[in-house]
Amino acid sequence: MSMIKGTELFVKALKEEGVDTLFAYPGGFITDLLDQLYGESDIDLILPRHEQGLIHEADGYARSTGRVGVCLVTSGPGATNLVTGIATANYDSVPLVCFTGQVPTSVIGNDAFQEVDIVGITRSITKHSVMVTDRKDLGRIIKEAFYIAKTGKPGPVLVDLPADIMKQLGDEVYPDSVSIRSYKPNTAVHPGQIKRAVTMLEKAKKPLFLIGGGVNIAHANAEFTKLVEMTKIPVVTSIMGRGSIPTDHELFVGNIGMHGCYAGNKAIEECDVLFSIGTRFNDRITGKISEFAPKAKIIHIDIDTASISRNIQVDIPIVGDAKNAIESLLECDFSKLRDLTSWREDIKTWNEKYPIDTEMEDFEGLTPQQILKEVNAAIKEQEAVVVTDVGQHQMWTTQNLHMDATKKLVTSGGLGTMGFGLPAAIGAQLGNPDKKVICLSGDGGMQMNIQEMATAVAQQLPIIILLVNNNHLGMVRQMQSLFYDKHYSATCLRYRKSCNYACREGKKACPPYSPNFVKLAESYDAAGKRVWNKDELSEALSEAMKETKKPTIIECMIDSDFIVLPMVRSGNALKDMILDI
């Protein structure tokens, strides 16, 4: 049996796992690995401009393709720069394998240059985190990392690679199977629990499906849509569940939660059976837990046992993969379900009373709803991935974006990571070269990873960035406007020391906005355009859709007083929606 270095086995492992794209940033303790990758034609080596951008790119690649995202960074600051991205992926169940370089084992624990305990740092935000301490374990550990990342409830796995281990000779064999005694993910569902769920639905007068990201992760959209059409039960979603059923489907109500639609939140209040699939019942969708779905019996399907009855006590728990569970439900007889016509009519009336997409009449400038209307029109006839950053634009997007089987939404839901949008869009475009990728970002979040424009240009990616500029950190400003007596502390991005907050006294002393995003785009050798109304946006978007070799920033100027409505203040019940101001 021939012997090979750890670096050689590493590259062999990536090939065996079908890795075609590796996001990597160089450093002293992974130089041997990078040298081994030199000239490899089967693996596209992507050089981002910052490790946080790098991991968000791997994340966007994974979410948009369904494959494992893979990244490689050096020890110390290279590794710690991954932390926010790892937590982002962990909250949203994204399969990543993150390889970090590490100092030689002989100096671990001696405060060596660029030494950090990255395994300890990330233990609480990864699905699994491990250091390779023996060359003979390298192949097994890498194999297990990919298996753990993509099975059960997906998530990030970190593998720490000491430099001396990677230089050592060892077995050339890469395992073809995994057997972990302590990790046996369950995907099958208990038929008795499925039968109980159907019986409960048969007694319901006002049943409601609540769908989270688990249905999208399980790629069960077609099966779920069939189930809905079979049962005629209305559907609400979390923002991560949006797209689980086409948004123009007659039984789709809308999103629920803090910025959910009136009809969706009202339906939660009035339903008598709530059937949830693939959601954690986090505070952003439940509001005040003690008043969530007060009239309902609750059925909950989730692949993660720990997520069931953790936040909301449920009546029928069902552990298993969302797709397997839905397929089991499709085999059931629903002929005894009640006539739900009156219930559906109630929901329709609520939607008509307070529609989510109300546009401002006679407004001369650009509105958030107009921006999304133009996006919907631009991608209506083609496959597309829409990526958002985090903030008001994210909520407007999740309220107004039209979704069907040809569209994919990529957004940071659980952690709410500003700076996610641009790099995630880069990863999505690399993973989907034949699809149009549109990124919506705020002027605040865009600047958190703006350096990744260089990556997009270097990779010749025709991403369209709709930069929604209201001159402020809008989501926090909205809370300050509604709940803090308009004390706009640390949210104005036009502030300069010379203006001394003169606006607080009603004086117009606003200095110019910095940066000039159009010139900034051009400095990166990308295209840039600023628009003030829907006609200018339509023209700019049409031109950008034709571009094939470089990114385009379209800076959409909107009024800083636009807010996201409806809104439920954190800690309040869903019934306490703010519908107007």
Side-chain angles (χ1 to χ4, degrees):
M1 184 179 293
S2 61
M3 307 286 277
I4 61 175
K5 291 186 297 183
T7 54
E8 294 177 275
L9 183 59
F10 174 83
V11 175
K12 180 179 181 178
L14 295 188
K15 291 181 178 180
E16 290 287 333
E17 295 296 339
V19 175
D20 59 9
T21 306
L22 176 64
F23 301 88
Y25 201 91
F29 291 112
I30 61 167
T31 306
D32 290 321
L33 281 168
L34 292 172
D35 186 64
Q36 195 66 51
L37 286 160
Y38 183 77
E40 283 291 343
S41 59
D42 295 334
I43 300 174
D44 193 6
L45 192 62
I46 307 299
L47 172 63
R49 299 303 188 262
H50 190 284
E51 289 95 350
Q52 184 175 340
L54 172 152
I55 191 167
H56 290 327
E57 286 161 18
D59 185 317
Y61 173 93
R63 295 189 200 223
S64 62
T65 63
R67 300 195 290 272
V68 177
V70 186
C71 58
L72 171 66
V73 300
T74 195
S75 62
T80 58
N81 280 339
L82 295 185
V83 169
T84 297
I86 291 173
T88 300
N90 189 54
Y91 266 96
D92 291 343
S93 303
V94 180
L96 299 182
V97 174
C98 308
F99 294 102
T100 55
Q102 184 55 276
V103 302
T105 54
S106 60
V107 296
I108 289 177
N110 293 332
D111 293 335
F113 177 68
Q114 293 193 335
E115 178 196 355
V116 296
D117 178 13
I118 194 63
V119 171
I121 290 171
T122 60
R123 186 169 284 120
S124 67
I125 55 170
T126 54
K127 192 174 177 185
H128 181 56
S129 189
V130 60
M131 179 191 291
V132 181
T133 58
D134 194 316
R135 168 63 179 84
K136 67 180 175 59
D137 297 327
L138 178 62
R140 174 184 60 79
I141 287 175
I142 295 177
K143 185 70 177 181
E144 289 176 353
F146 279 90
Y147 177 75
I148 292 170
K150 65 188 177 183
T151 57
K153 180 183 179 181
V157 175
L158 183 138
V159 180
D160 202 24
L161 303 172
D164 58 323
I165 299 292
M166 301 311 292
K167 293 178 182 179
Q168 290 176 13
L169 293 173
D171 196 333
E172 68 172 353
V173 175
Y174 183 67
D176 56 9
S177 62
V178 171
S179 179
I180 308 172
R181 187 171 61 180
S182 61
Y183 179 70
K184 303 290 183 183
N186 175 50
T187 58
V189 294
H190 194 290
Q193 294 297 85
I194 291 290
K195 185 176 180 179
R196 286 183 63 202
V198 173
T199 300
M200 182 174 282
L201 287 177
E202 289 174 346
K203 298 176 182 178
K205 297 179 181 178
K206 298 180 179 181
L208 186 68
F209 279 120
L210 167 56
I211 304 303
V215 171
N216 288 329
I217 291 170
H219 305 290
N221 311 60
E223 290 82 1
F224 176 66
T225 300
K226 186 176 180 181
L227 177 64
V228 171
E229 291 172 349
M230 181 184 294
T231 60
K232 306 298 182 185
I233 295 174
V235 181
V236 296
T237 65
S238 66
I239 66 169
M240 302 305 290
R242 193 172 180 90
S244 54
I245 185 172
T247 53
D248 62 356
H249 197 286
E250 62 179 354
L251 290 169
F252 176 67
V253 181
N255 301 343
I256 68 160
M258 178 174 282
H259 294 292
C261 66
Y262 174 81
N265 284 348
K266 182 72 171 174
I268 290 287
E269 290 291 311
E270 297 297 328
C271 69
D272 58 4
V273 171
L274 182 63
F275 198 145
S276 175
I277 307 176
T279 180
R280 293 180 288 114
F281 285 112
N282 74 335
D283 58 295
R284 287 296 167 119
I285 67 168
T286 63
K288 188 176 182 180
I289 288 177
S290 62
E291 297 186 36
F292 178 76
K295 303 175 183 178
K297 297 287 187 180
I298 299 178
I299 305 164
H300 187 190
I301 296 174
D302 203 283
I303 199 166
D304 181 17
T305 306
S307 292
I308 297 179
S309 290
R310 180 172 59 188
N311 296 328
I312 297 292
Q313 192 67 34
V314 306
D315 298 279
I316 300 179
I318 303 175
V319 179
D321 174 75
K323 189 169 187 175
N324 289 346
I326 293 169
E327 288 174 342
S328 294
L329 286 165
L330 287 172
E331 297 175 359
C332 297
D333 178 12
F334 290 102
S335 61
K336 295 181 181 179
L337 263 60
R338 295 172 183 259
D339 183 356
L340 304 177
T341 302
S342 177
W343 170 230
R344 293 192 296 267
E345 285 298 317
D346 286 344
I347 295 174
K348 182 179 178 182
T349 300
W350 298 331
N351 248 335
E352 291 172 348
K353 184 177 181 180
Y354 294 108
I356 199 70
D357 58 353
T358 302
E359 290 193 30
M360 297 177 64
E361 295 182 3
D362 302 322
F363 185 78
E364 294 183 359
L366 194 58
T367 69
Q369 289 75 22
Q370 288 170 351
I371 294 171
L372 270 300
K373 187 175 182 180
E374 291 298 327
V375 170
N376 287 329
I379 61 175
K380 183 178 181 180
E381 303 298 332
Q382 60 182 287
E383 289 189 302
V385 181
V386 177
V387 183
T388 80
D389 207 274
V390 168
Q392 287 178 308
H393 70 277
Q394 177 191 31
M395 296 299 103
W396 286 319
T397 300
T398 56
Q399 287 179 338
N400 294 281
L401 183 67
H402 295 171
M403 300 283 293
D404 58 27
T406 65
K407 309 295 184 293
K408 180 75 175 179
L409 175 64
V410 173
T411 192
S412 170
L415 197 64
T417 304
M418 289 179 68
F420 172 83
L422 173 60
I426 290 171
Q429 188 70 86
L430 287 166
N432 302 270
D434 297 327
K435 295 181 182 180
K436 179 55 64 177
V437 175
I438 295 180
C439 172
L440 289 102
S441 182
D443 49 318
M446 184 67 178
Q447 294 182 71
M448 289 193 169
N449 272 312
I450 188 68
Q451 78 285 339
E452 294 309 308
M453 282 297 296
T455 309
V457 169
Q459 294 295 325
Q460 298 182 312
L461 304 178
I463 299 165
I464 299 173
I465 300 110
L466 293 175
L467 198 160
V468 183
N469 190 347
N470 62 2
N471 296 181
H472 291 80
L473 299 173
M475 188 58 84
V476 179
R477 186 182 188 274
Q478 172 170 330
M479 290 188 284
Q480 292 170 334
S481 176
L482 295 175
F483 311 127
Y484 293 90
D485 200 26
K486 299 186 177 180
H487 293 166
Y488 300 127
S489 177
T491 50
C492 179
L493 295 177
R494 290 179 69 171
Y495 169 78
R496 294 186 187 183
K497 192 172 183 179
S498 59
C499 73
N500 198 30
Y501 290 113
C503 56
R504 293 176 179 174
E505 301 173 5
K507 300 176 183 178
K508 280 291 183 181
C510 294
Y513 188 95
S514 178
N516 182 320
F517 285 109
V518 173
K519 290 184 178 179
L520 186 59
E522 293 170 349
S523 76
Y524 278 110
D525 202 21
K529 183 79 172 179
R530 182 177 296 115
V531 299
W532 296 86
N533 57 55
K534 62 181 180 181
D535 292 334
E536 292 177 352
L537 173 58
S538 180
E539 181 181 349
L541 194 52
S542 178
E543 184 176 342
M545 291 288 286
K546 300 173 186 175
E547 179 58 61
T548 60
K549 294 293 184 181
K550 64 182 178 182
T552 301
I553 291 179
I554 303 175
E555 186 181 16
C556 304
M557 308 303 296
I558 68 167
D559 194 287
S560 59
D561 287 330
F562 284 131
I563 65 174
V564 185
L565 291 175
M567 181 177 184
V568 178
R569 187 175 186 177
S570 181
N572 285 4
L574 296 186
K575 62 183 175 62
D576 299 323
M577 284 175 281
I578 300 171
L579 299 170
D580 200 0
I581 58 170

